[in-house]
Amino acid sequence: EPEVTQTPSHQVTQMGQEVILRCVPISNHLYFYWYRQILGQKVEFLVSFYNNEISEKSEIFDDQFSVERPDGSNFTLKIRSTKLEDSAMYFCASTRDRGRTNEKLFFGSGTQLSVL
Amino acid sequence: AQKITQTQPGMFVQEKEAVTLDCTYDTSDPSYGLFWYKQPSSGEMIFLIYQGSYDQQNATEGRYSLNFQKARKSANLVISASQLGDSAMYFCAGYNFNKFYFGSGTKLNVKP
């Protein structure tokens, strides 16, 4: 089965530093997402991205966060100045299309971000 | 918006027995999808099963089946013949208005 690829699998950073989390969605998918999961808690929606622009974002996705699709394959999440509470597992996901209720969300294996 | 509720933070089941994980949803949209994902301790999210709001039959995928009761707005996951490898976190998710909504999860422990 096709896969969403995320790098790195683990990222340790100092508070206040910038981090970029990288994702390669499935090649024929058009709709991309970032989710985060604080240890042992709910999977929280951050942002969705379609046609090279943000479709929707949550309250968590403030000015410290940005997303980009710099080329035809990569999809990145940037946190400009990390805070301790940004420590979480970050999942990239993609769907082939949108609007149909049977669109399965394909997840990457996640990047565990630890902010010290 | 859609709300997904999982009321069982943790469940235990004996190996080889069946277990039901509860999920209720709340949406105003008549067209929606319901999903279950498994998250083992390694952290990845594994798709298990899907049910569409217009599907007449309950979805089944191997040992997984979805007990879909539309009038009660419930979409419970049934795992038959539990195995030790089924021990994991299970998330119910709903999809409509181009967005996925997740429940808080149920941690399943399968006892030998």
Side-chain angles (χ1 to χ4, degrees):
Chain A
E1 189 169 66
E3 285 185 348
V4 175
T5 307
Q6 284 187 249
T7 54
S9 55
H10 292 85
Q11 174 92 47
V12 181
T13 190
Q14 295 289 325
M15 191 170 60
Q17 294 294 305
E18 175 183 285
V19 293
I20 298 176
L21 309 183
R22 302 180 192 279
C23 170
V24 179
I26 294 169
S27 60
N28 63 346
H29 282 195
L30 301 176
Y31 211 31
F32 315 126
Y33 305 78
W34 283 99
Y35 286 85
R36 80 170 186 192
Q37 185 184 30
I38 294 169
L39 183 63
Q41 296 185 25
K42 198 171 183 170
V43 178
E44 299 174 296
F45 168 76
L46 292 178
V47 66
S48 59
F49 191 86
Y50 176 75
N51 201 24
N52 284 321
E53 58 184 26
I54 290 174
S55 297
E56 196 166 356
K57 58 184 180 179
S58 71
E59 312 83 54
I60 302 167
F61 194 88
D62 61 22
D63 292 344
Q64 292 298 313
F65 291 89
S66 62
V67 288
E68 197 176 37
R69 189 156 162 84
D71 52 43
S73 59
N74 291 286
F75 178 51
T76 61
L77 174 70
K78 183 194 290 187
I79 309 175
R80 287 192 186 82
S81 178
T82 50
K83 303 188 278 280
L84 295 175
E85 53 265 37
D86 293 328
S87 295
M89 177 76 96
Y90 287 81
F91 289 104
C92 175
S94 68
T95 56
R96 188 180 51 193
D97 204 340
R98 63 175 182 168
R100 294 183 297 189
T101 59
N102 63 344
E103 282 296 339
K104 188 171 84 176
L105 193 61
F106 288 79
F107 281 94
S109 53
T111 294
Q112 181 64 54
L113 177 65
S114 298
V115 182
L116 307 178
Chain B
Q2 185 173 76
K3 187 178 175 186
I4 302 290
T5 303
Q6 293 180 255
T7 57
Q8 305 154 312
M11 291 277 288
F12 284 91
V13 65
Q14 201 68 41
E15 193 180 8
K16 298 180 187 173
E17 291 186 352
V19 63
T20 298
L21 307 184
D22 294 342
C23 172
T24 58
Y25 60 92
D26 187 15
T27 179
S28 57
D29 191 347
S31 179
Y32 51 87
L34 296 159
F35 301 77
W36 279 91
Y37 285 84
K38 173 184 178 182
Q39 187 179 40
S41 57
S42 51
E44 71 266 33
M45 296 286 280
I46 302 167
F47 166 77
L48 295 178
I49 196 166
Y50 159 81
Q51 180 84 43
S53 58
Y54 294 118
D55 293 344
Q56 297 295 315
Q57 307 243 349
N58 286 344
T60 60
E61 290 281 352
R63 293 186 299 111
Y64 304 108
S65 61
L66 207 152
N67 184 2
F68 182 47
Q69 298 188 42
K70 202 167 179 177
R72 298 180 64 179
K73 294 193 172 180
S74 73
N76 299 338
L77 176 70
V78 180
I79 306 175
S80 63
S82 298
Q83 301 171 356
L84 296 177
D86 294 334
S87 292
M89 196 76 168
Y90 288 81
F91 290 97
C92 179
Y95 177 78
N96 68 344
F97 299 117
N98 301 319
K99 196 170 167 184
F100 286 86
Y101 301 83
F102 284 84
S104 54
T106 296
K107 186 167 174 58
L108 178 67
N109 283 291
V110 180
K111 298 187 290 185

